[in-house]
Amino acid sequence: TVDLKYDDVSYATVHQSAFLRCGMMPVQPIKELWWFKIGASEERVYYYDPTSVDAALMKRAKRSSRDNISLEIHHTHLSDEGEYKCRIVVWDNTGNSTEPSVPISKEARMMLKVNVPPEKVEITHLTSGRNLSLRCKSEGAKPPADILWTKTSPDGVETEIPDLTKTREIEPAGELYDTAEQIFYQLEENEMIAKISCVVRHHNTNTTIYKNITFVSPAIQNALKVTMQRFAEPVLYSSIENQDGQDNKAGLVKISADPGFKVPYNTSVTLKASAPGVYPEPRYLWWVGDQTGIAGRELHIDNLEEDKSYYVLAENPLGRVVLEVPVHITTSDYSQWNDSSRDGDAMVNDTTEGLDTGAIIG
């Protein structure tokens, strides 16, 4: 008697090799070996006759070198999933060498399950004040992927964010699945940097994907000790995410002036604010004296007639800073004329060479 040893269900990861076991106990001489894929009809996958034929009817299929009977499918496709049948015909003379050998046929059916790791992971977010609404979506996995959230401190300690006020959705996408999860999180008052990660885990394919988003507070070298209560209302933000390798560290708010911070009398000046490494991008508010603030990255000053200090507020959910930006009228001494950029409110020495006096009018 010949028995077949097989697994009811075998698993494979897409684009990797699948192994379908079908072994004999005890081992007998093979007359024929057939492999079929069961669908609306039996599709022939492999045929082997030791005397003449060794044919893979599926190009990616072959007999396994482990026992020459089991089937291997290379570079597995999702369409390879399904039920398979192994049919073996062996010669058996029941141990009596004087009797003619009798062909005996044995069959076994088994399932092949093909798993697919997530194809794409994205984070989107909205912030209102220090309140964050974060949504992470994993696309194109089979079976659906799991999602958890972690937070990494500035010294590199990663902790899991508790499963509070979170919602999860699993949606079929053809034969695959999309998983989306949304959480609500409040930044702490003293946080200057907050790195939050969406961790997508797909246990069936041993896959883990991190998608990071880092919130950074604006900063300056010598922050002015100014409290502006009139700018304290919550602000709604929606911005492009700094994901993956685009995480940034805290950077200074930078101010530039065109044509410079020192200009001739009656010259128009444009001040520009930027915050490299700060995320989300701050909102900016400019003012001088008791004038109403002007929102935007740039402030245009028409026909400057006297030395004047302008102020700019840079604010995002993690913090706010106020920067003083003095602009000066030059004297008749043009040996040191222009300084076109500064970081924070630190003074920057003039380095521009004097202009040709023949080019100066008035």
Side-chain angles (χ1 to χ4, degrees):
T1 302
V2 176
D3 293 322
L4 298 184
K5 302 296 182 181
Y6 60 94
D7 301 314
D8 291 328
V9 181
S10 297
Y11 296 91
T13 298
V14 69
H15 305 317
Q16 297 182 13
S17 295
F19 176 75
L20 295 170
R21 186 167 75 101
C22 185
M24 282 192 298
M25 289 296 291
V27 177
Q28 299 279 10
I30 294 176
K31 180 180 184 294
E32 286 182 319
L33 169 66
W34 288 94
W35 276 95
F36 301 91
K37 186 172 188 290
I38 309 301
S41 60
E42 292 188 351
E43 175 188 351
R44 296 180 182 181
V45 174
Y46 203 96
Y47 176 68
Y48 172 59
D49 179 344
T51 62
S52 58
V53 180
D54 192 359
L57 305 177
M58 175 195 288
K59 292 183 179 179
R60 294 174 288 107
K62 73 170 188 177
R63 284 186 299 126
S64 173
S65 58
R66 303 184 197 184
D67 54 21
N68 289 323
I69 299 175
S70 299
L71 186 72
E72 291 184 6
I73 301 175
H74 295 283
H75 197 70
T76 307
H77 297 170
L78 185 57
S79 59
D80 294 333
E81 182 171 279
E83 185 179 14
Y84 288 77
K85 182 170 71 174
C86 163
R87 178 190 295 161
I88 300 176
V89 181
V90 298
W91 294 109
D92 184 21
N93 59 9
T94 65
N96 189 343
S97 58
T98 62
E99 296 291 333
S101 295
V102 178
I104 298 176
S105 177
K106 291 285 185 177
E107 292 185 356
R109 294 192 177 211
M110 61 213 70
M111 291 293 298
L112 173 63
K113 297 285 188 180
V114 179
N115 298 318
V116 182
E119 179 183 23
K120 183 180 180 182
V121 177
E122 287 185 332
I123 293 180
T124 54
H125 81 282
L126 286 174
T127 67
S128 178
R130 302 183 73 83
N131 299 309
L132 306 181
S133 173
L134 299 163
R135 187 174 189 268
C136 182
K137 185 176 183 180
S138 162
E139 298 181 2
K142 179 179 175 292
D146 292 326
I147 293 177
L148 62 87
W149 296 85
T150 65
K151 178 180 160 185
T152 304
S153 65
D155 56 359
V157 178
E158 184 179 17
T159 57
E160 184 175 349
I161 298 176
D163 295 346
L164 300 176
T165 61
K166 80 174 184 179
T167 57
R168 174 174 294 187
E169 301 172 357
I170 298 177
E171 298 179 355
E175 297 180 85
L176 307 179
Y177 296 90
D178 297 342
T179 303
E181 188 167 286
Q182 184 171 2
I183 65 167
F184 300 94
Y185 181 76
Q186 186 174 46
L187 296 164
E188 298 177 7
E189 288 292 336
N190 60 349
E191 283 186 295
M192 299 296 289
I193 299 179
K195 180 178 179 179
I196 297 178
S197 302
C198 165
V199 185
V200 175
R201 290 179 175 171
H202 196 248
H203 302 285
N204 299 72
T205 59
N206 197 27
T207 300
T208 301
I209 300 175
Y210 275 76
K211 207 68 166 181
N212 307 318
I213 183 168
T214 304
F215 297 89
V216 182
S217 171
I220 58 178
Q221 288 179 342
N222 301 296
L224 299 178
K225 296 185 182 299
V226 177
T227 302
M228 311 301 292
Q229 293 297 333
R230 59 178 171 151
F231 303 135
E233 70 278 4
V235 181
L236 185 66
Y237 295 86
S238 181
S239 182
I240 299 174
E241 295 72 33
N242 57 336
Q243 299 184 13
D244 293 339
Q246 303 175 27
D247 294 345
N248 294 309
K249 296 182 179 180
L252 300 178
V253 176
K254 298 178 180 291
I255 306 295
S256 63
D258 183 17
F261 292 103
K262 297 178 181 179
V263 296
Y265 177 82
N266 208 33
T267 299
S268 295
V269 179
T270 299
L271 302 177
K272 298 180 181 179
S274 63
V278 173
Y279 185 79
E281 172 71 19
R283 69 160 186 168
Y284 300 96
L285 191 65
W286 296 85
W287 74 95
V288 58
D290 293 330
Q291 295 181 10
T292 302
I294 299 174
R297 184 190 295 268
E298 298 184 2
L299 175 68
H300 185 70
I301 306 166
D302 291 322
N303 306 323
L304 187 67
E305 298 179 348
E306 60 181 349
D307 293 351
K308 192 169 290 187
S309 286
Y310 296 84
Y311 296 87
V312 60
L313 166 74
E315 180 184 41
N316 76 359
L318 274 77
R320 60 168 62 145
V321 292
V322 176
L323 185 65
E324 181 183 16
V325 185
V327 183
H328 300 284
I329 300 297
T330 59
T331 63
S332 58
D333 179 9
Y334 290 96
S335 61
Q336 294 183 340
W337 190 74
N338 195 16
D339 164 30
S340 61
S341 67
R342 65 176 68 234
D343 292 346
D345 60 352
M347 297 302 295
V348 181
N349 294 328
D350 294 333
T351 57
T352 307
E353 296 294 330
L355 299 179
D356 183 350
T357 55
I360 296 174
I361 301 175

